[in-house]
Amino acid sequence: MEQELISKKELLELTGISYGQLYRWKRKKLIPEDWFIRKSTFTGQETFFPKEKILARIERIKELKDERSLDELAAMFAPDPAAVVLTKEEVVKRHIVSDVVWQWLNEQLGDEEGVSFTQLLSLYIVDRLLRSGEISVEEGKHIWKMFEHHYPALQGKICELIVLRKIGVAVCFLLEGTADLYVEEGVKLVARLHVPTYIEELKWHISEG
């Protein structure tokens, strides 16, 4: 399951941004260094990007750059989770997750009032999977527990959440970095989620609240 790439020339033509803007955003860390992929072609070395991720990121930057400074955007897009703790009431007020998913967290917290960013992130991602209709509630709980257990070792790093299904059985795992994924015949790719994208979405929800 190879990720689709887009060349630098195609990217600039499609988005309407300039070469200077692209590299300024790179210097300001709005676009990750590892998205700039150097490949040999018949004309020499060319730069390519993961198409889906770079297009989504540039669209987001264009939407927000008139409202926020590049430094503010860089903080939003940074892969490290925000050092923030919300109260239960704040989570409900911001409608960050659905009632079903919020109940899972509420049961886990017990009498604790503080909700960490990492706790919210795991449920926010699972909530998006449930809303897509691609997974069941039980599968969502398994994904949530796996993420909660293993994500701390990857915190601050670029990683992806992969969900596969074969003969009705779902398997999930976290993949450090971004890489091509090859699986056996008959396995369905249910979801491949770029975790930093959901980190920035969650930061946006919190900052807008």
Side-chain angles (χ1 to χ4, degrees):
M1 298 170 187
E2 201 169 338
Q3 64 178 342
E4 186 179 358
L5 299 179
I6 184 172
S7 71
K8 181 168 62 182
K9 181 182 178 187
E10 291 174 312
L11 177 68
L12 298 181
E13 289 176 352
L14 193 58
T15 60
I17 66 170
S18 68
Y19 178 94
Q21 278 180 304
L22 177 66
Y23 280 87
R24 184 181 182 209
W25 293 345
K26 177 188 177 185
R27 288 194 304 274
K28 298 294 285 186
K29 302 190 184 303
L30 274 65
I31 299 174
E33 177 81 33
D34 64 357
W35 287 11
F36 289 72
I37 302 166
R38 298 286 289 172
K39 281 181 171 286
S40 296
T41 68
F42 67 92
T43 58
Q45 286 281 320
E46 289 189 31
T47 302
F48 293 82
F49 303 86
K51 184 174 182 179
E52 184 178 344
K53 293 171 188 171
I54 191 71
L55 290 177
R57 175 62 58 88
I58 287 176
E59 183 62 30
R60 191 72 167 143
I61 293 170
K62 288 166 73 174
E63 285 174 2
L64 300 174
K65 66 184 179 66
D66 293 333
E67 301 173 17
R68 300 187 176 223
S69 71
L70 294 186
D71 287 336
E72 288 175 320
L73 290 179
M76 182 185 300
F77 294 143
D80 292 334
V84 64
V85 176
L86 300 182
T87 64
K88 291 179 180 179
E89 290 74 18
E90 287 173 323
V91 176
V92 173
K93 178 183 175 183
R94 287 168 169 76
H95 305 289
I96 292 171
V97 295
S98 64
D99 291 342
V100 171
V101 175
W102 164 246
Q103 188 60 38
W104 300 353
L105 180 60
N106 204 25
E107 289 170 2
Q108 182 194 42
L109 289 174
D111 295 331
E112 291 180 41
E113 276 299 316
V115 184
S116 73
F117 186 93
T118 302
Q119 286 174 311
L120 275 180
L121 176 64
S122 61
L123 287 176
Y124 180 78
I125 289 174
V126 170
D127 191 59
R128 291 302 175 273
L129 285 171
L130 286 169
R131 290 173 188 267
S132 74
E134 292 286 355
I135 65 168
S136 67
V137 170
E138 282 307 308
E139 288 172 339
K141 287 184 178 180
H142 287 304
I143 295 167
W144 168 44
K145 289 176 181 177
M146 182 283 299
F147 193 99
E148 285 268 295
H149 182 72
H150 292 292
Y151 181 70
L154 295 170
Q155 191 164 319
K157 300 178 181 179
I158 293 173
C159 62
E160 295 183 322
L161 171 64
I162 311 291
V163 183
L164 305 173
R165 183 179 289 116
K166 184 176 183 181
I167 321 176
V169 178
V171 176
C172 59
F173 57 95
L174 286 165
L175 176 68
E176 184 177 347
T178 57
D180 297 335
L181 189 66
Y182 302 92
V183 298
E184 64 177 308
E185 187 176 352
V187 173
K188 177 187 177 184
L189 177 64
V190 177
R192 181 171 189 170
L193 306 182
H194 185 242
V195 173
T197 298
Y198 290 84
I199 290 173
E200 68 190 50
E201 281 187 14
L202 184 52
K203 284 182 179 179
W204 177 253
H205 273 292
I206 291 171
S207 66
E208 286 298 284

